[in-house]
Amino acid sequence: MAANLISEVPIYRKGFGLKQEVAGELEQDYHCELIDHLQRHDFHLKLPQVEVFLAREFGFCYGVDRAVDYAYETRKKFPERRLFLTTEIIHNPRVNTRLIEMGVQFLSGQYASGVKIGDLKPEDVVLLPAFGVSTHELKALEKTGCVLVDTTCGSVANVWRRVERYAREGYTSVVHGKYNHEETIATCSRAESQPGSKYLVVRDLNEADYVCDFIRHGGDSEEFKSKFEKAASQGFDPNLHLRKIGVANQTTMLSSESLEIARRIKVALADRYGEDDLGNRFLSFDTICSATQERQDAVIDMVKNPLDLVLIVGGFNSSNTSHLREISGEKYPAYHIDRLSRIQGSDLIEHRDPETGDLVQTKDWLPKEFCRIGFTAGASTPNQVIGEVIQKVLEIKGVDVLALAQSMTGQPPSRETVE
Ligand code: SF4
């Protein structure tokens, strides 16, 4: 049987052997000839009006590829059944909208259809997203008796195994991540897998330093609890639960920051309890996934070129995309957009403010004269969306895109949905 049986409910984790059957649809929905061309030509295109640099690793990662593939296969396997996603399968509006067009309904999140877990019937089919679900949600789904198709990425499951080990061995899991991100919620539920086991989520170095201070000197535990109210287990007591720590991270965080957080916590424990006792008090494992690391490294490489600006394409709630912006923004003006329509000509671009997360506008963002632009995209962005963004910038710069496409393929460019 293709499924693993957990309790009474079949959970499919290996697809349905329909890869070939859905390949055409996936190609049509997400493929882009311009991106293929750039990949064949050293990720670079130089024209009289503009020079384009594309990061060497960008867009769909192995986990997203697999999740989207399973979603299409599931639709093909169960064409007549009601098909649900617990929430966004990945953080990309194009992909989620396409799944809605295919009849997939969402149980929660911004695309929620109104159907709740309690409304599900055994004949319904539910897809679990690439970043997984919490143990609590999984149990609730199992109770309904519906068919589950699990697209959780292996790299996320790897973090779960790590924090489950911490819990078994009596360590509190300190997770570098965003406490309200689906992946971190799922990971934290595994960190509590043993009676009394606890977790704490730290978002950045500032929060880590606050925790380190408490480890070293103690402090106001009420203030601590209030600061991490949403980011710690129920009943978390900093006086009790910061004595043995295992560090892990959301797979899509900035890897340099994750490593530094682990280092600072290790030093704080050594300061408090002595170097000799560290073996019993500190565990760490870098759980940044290789796809995230490769995309970050590729942007670091790309911005070594002299550029005028960088455009980063990906969902606004996509953690890995926001880190690509962070890296780019250290050197050049960098604009994180989630869809093509954010570019409103050379005069105006709407993009995500990295500090507030709000949508902001920047005027005259694109130089009128010749310029060099870097492009990259988060792990949940299809090539077609990146290609459309590049194409639009070329058009604004006065490039004859039709002639360019014909020179690449012998065909005019396809103009798919413009969001
Ligand atoms: S970003 Fe990494 S962990 Fe997340 S789905 Fe992709 S490969 Fe898996």
Side-chain angles (χ1 to χ4, degrees):
M1 189 179 185
N4 296 331
L5 279 173
I6 291 182
S7 69
E8 299 302 311
V9 182
I11 303 186
Y12 291 88
R13 292 199 166 93
K14 293 189 188 301
F16 298 100
L18 298 171
K19 224 174 169 43
Q20 293 306 321
E21 282 81 345
V22 298
E25 269 175 90
L26 287 167
E27 163 110 0
Q28 188 184 329
D29 288 345
Y30 305 122
H31 170 260
C32 174
E33 185 54 44
L34 174 58
I35 295 296
D36 281 0
H37 176 87
L38 283 162
Q39 286 175 316
R40 286 194 304 268
H41 292 82
D42 205 25
F43 299 80
H44 179 234
L45 176 67
K46 185 162 187 188
L47 298 165
Q49 306 90 328
V50 60
E51 193 168 1
V52 169
F53 295 84
L54 179 62
R56 286 176 181 275
E57 294 289 342
F58 63 93
F60 273 14
C61 57
Y62 51 85
V64 165
D65 249 341
R66 178 174 165 277
V68 175
D69 184 274
Y70 281 13
Y72 277 59
E73 285 194 38
T74 306
R75 182 72 289 176
K76 183 97 27 212
K77 174 80 178 171
F78 302 105
E80 307 300 336
R81 303 246 201 133
R82 291 202 303 174
L83 177 55
F84 295 92
L85 260 163
T86 54
T87 184
E88 300 179 40
I89 188 162
I90 55 171
H91 289 143
N92 183 267
R94 173 74 59 89
V95 177
N96 289 304
T97 307
R98 179 71 192 109
L99 290 174
I100 291 171
E101 289 165 7
M102 291 163 64
V104 180
Q105 300 184 58
F106 289 60
L107 294 169
S108 67
Q110 59 173 317
Y111 304 101
S113 66
V115 177
K116 301 285 179 210
I117 290 181
D119 304 324
L120 295 173
K121 307 273 184 291
E123 59 273 21
D124 292 331
V125 182
V126 179
L127 288 155
L128 312 184
F131 24 65
V133 296
S134 69
T135 49
H136 169 75
E137 195 173 10
L138 185 59
K139 278 196 189 106
L141 286 165
E142 285 175 338
K143 265 195 203 156
T144 69
C146 63
V147 175
L148 297 176
V149 180
D150 185 1
T151 78
T152 305
C153 178
S155 295
V156 174
N158 189 30
V159 188
W160 295 353
R161 283 192 287 278
R162 179 61 45 177
V163 296
E164 280 164 357
R165 181 189 152 194
Y166 293 162
R168 277 197 308 277
E169 297 182 7
Y171 288 78
T172 294
S173 292
V174 172
V175 181
H176 175 215
K178 296 173 183 167
Y179 70 82
N180 56 354
H181 189 285
E182 295 92 331
E183 181 192 317
T184 295
I185 293 169
T187 295
C188 290
S189 73
R190 269 83 188 173
E192 290 188 305
S193 56
Q194 300 296 318
S197 53
K198 302 286 181 211
Y199 70 82
L200 175 72
V201 182
V202 294
R203 190 188 173 101
D204 51 28
L205 287 170
N206 282 340
E207 288 193 357
D209 282 343
Y210 180 88
V211 173
C212 289
D213 233 33
F214 202 99
I215 292 170
R216 283 195 184 88
H217 312 295
D220 181 343
S221 58
E222 290 313 311
E223 182 193 277
F224 188 107
K225 286 183 209 170
S226 143
K227 186 174 170 67
F228 290 100
E229 193 186 358
K230 293 183 177 156
S233 302
Q234 271 209 333
F236 187 94
D237 181 343
N239 293 308
L240 299 176
H241 300 125
L242 292 175
R243 294 173 178 172
K244 283 181 76 161
I245 293 175
V247 180
N249 41 259
Q250 192 180 309
T251 54
T252 48
M253 299 307 278
L254 198 58
S255 70
S256 54
E257 191 174 43
S258 278
L259 293 172
E260 180 58 16
I261 284 172
R263 190 192 70 76
R264 290 188 191 186
I265 289 175
K266 183 179 181 182
V267 172
L269 284 168
D271 288 349
R272 174 75 189 262
Y273 300 104
E275 286 276 347
D276 293 348
D277 209 21
L278 264 188
N280 298 316
R281 294 194 180 269
F282 178 76
L283 290 173
S284 174
F285 190 78
D286 176 9
T287 51
I288 297 288
C289 79
S290 58
T292 296
Q293 186 66 60
E294 285 161 10
R295 277 151 190 70
Q296 292 176 8
D297 291 346
V299 170
I300 292 168
D301 266 359
M302 183 178 76
V303 299
K304 287 178 184 159
N305 294 293
L307 300 175
D308 292 286
L309 64 116
V310 181
L311 273 176
I312 302 99
V313 190
F316 284 161
N317 48 359
S318 161
S319 167
N320 78 88
T321 310
S322 63
H323 294 308
L324 298 179
R325 199 227 70 90
E326 202 175 327
I327 295 168
S328 312
E330 283 172 9
K331 206 157 169 201
Y332 297 114
Y335 305 103
H336 175 180
I337 61 173
D338 62 339
R339 62 192 70 204
L340 185 59
S341 57
R342 301 292 182 205
I343 299 177
Q344 299 177 7
S346 62
D347 302 341
L348 192 68
I349 188 169
E350 287 183 324
H351 56 103
R352 180 181 181 275
D353 183 303
E355 303 304 324
T356 64
D358 294 340
L359 190 61
V360 289
Q361 297 186 331
T362 297
K363 291 184 176 159
D364 300 324
W365 64 282
L366 187 61
K368 300 266 186 277
E369 60 280 7
F370 174 84
C371 58
R372 297 180 177 86
I373 307 176
F375 292 86
T376 188
S380 44
T381 307
N383 280 5
Q384 207 176 69
V385 177
I386 312 162
E388 286 170 6
V389 166
I390 298 175
Q391 190 176 315
K392 182 152 185 176
V393 171
L394 294 182
E395 283 172 353
I396 295 171
K397 292 300 295 176
V399 174
D400 183 342
V401 173
L402 197 66
L404 180 69
Q406 279 170 333
S407 74
M408 289 175 188
T409 64
Q411 301 286 325
S414 63
R415 295 309 302 257
E416 296 293 337
T417 331
V418 173
E419 289 174 70

